[in-house]
Amino acid sequence: QVQVAESGGGSVQSGGSLRLSCAASGHTYSNYCLAWFRQGSGKEREGLAAVDSDGDVYYGDSVRGRFTISQDNAKNTVYLEMNSLTPEDTATYYCAARIHDYCTTTWSSGKYFGYWGQGTQVTVSS
């Protein structure tokens, strides 16, 4: 059973940085896609960044250039480095896993991700 668990959320002032971690367990599949999403209060879920087993990375338009996704295969962990945070980045951040396949151009919709974490809250104050 695949499980993903986020950590690293918290409160930060505008302009600050945070690094989120997503520990994935239970997957030994050669093909996978791991991604970060967020959902703010009253907002739709938004795809932020994704990385697959080939090392290909994808970014949502709203975070490209500010957020960086990376993975440590030895630790089965994916990171999301977030810089230049603004109050608009306040949301619950989720990690999701898709197995038996790579990321595709439709990754940001969240479809086909069968495994989701519980989320970690990020609050950015002005």
Side-chain angles (χ1 to χ4, degrees):
Q1 180 70 15
V2 177
Q3 292 183 323
V4 291
E6 309 92 342
S7 62
S11 298
V12 64
Q13 289 192 326
S14 185
S17 300
L18 277 176
R19 188 177 80 159
L20 305 182
S21 300
C22 171
S25 62
H27 82 96
T28 57
Y29 309 100
S30 57
N31 300 340
Y32 62 83
C33 175
L34 294 170
W36 286 98
F37 297 82
R38 70 183 177 190
Q39 188 162 19
S41 180
K43 298 181 180 179
E44 293 187 354
R45 184 178 63 198
E46 178 184 12
L48 305 176
V51 60
D52 64 24
S53 45
D54 262 4
D56 293 327
V57 298
Y58 304 79
Y59 290 100
D61 290 340
S62 66
V63 301
R64 186 176 289 113
R66 293 193 303 129
F67 291 9
T68 302
I69 191 170
S70 61
Q71 63 179 332
D72 185 332
N73 292 328
K75 296 182 178 179
N76 287 332
T77 300
V78 173
Y79 304 98
L80 185 68
E81 184 75 36
M82 306 186 295
N83 298 313
S84 302
L85 289 165
T86 73
E88 287 66 41
D89 295 312
T90 295
T92 301
Y93 285 67
Y94 298 92
C95 179
R98 173 180 178 177
I99 59 175
H100 297 310
D101 205 351
Y102 301 103
C103 300
T104 68
T105 55
T106 61
W107 68 271
S108 62
S109 72
K111 291 182 179 180
Y112 314 120
F113 285 87
Y115 305 94
W116 293 80
Q118 293 298 309
T120 185
Q121 179 67 32
V122 172
T123 302
V124 184
S125 58
S126 58

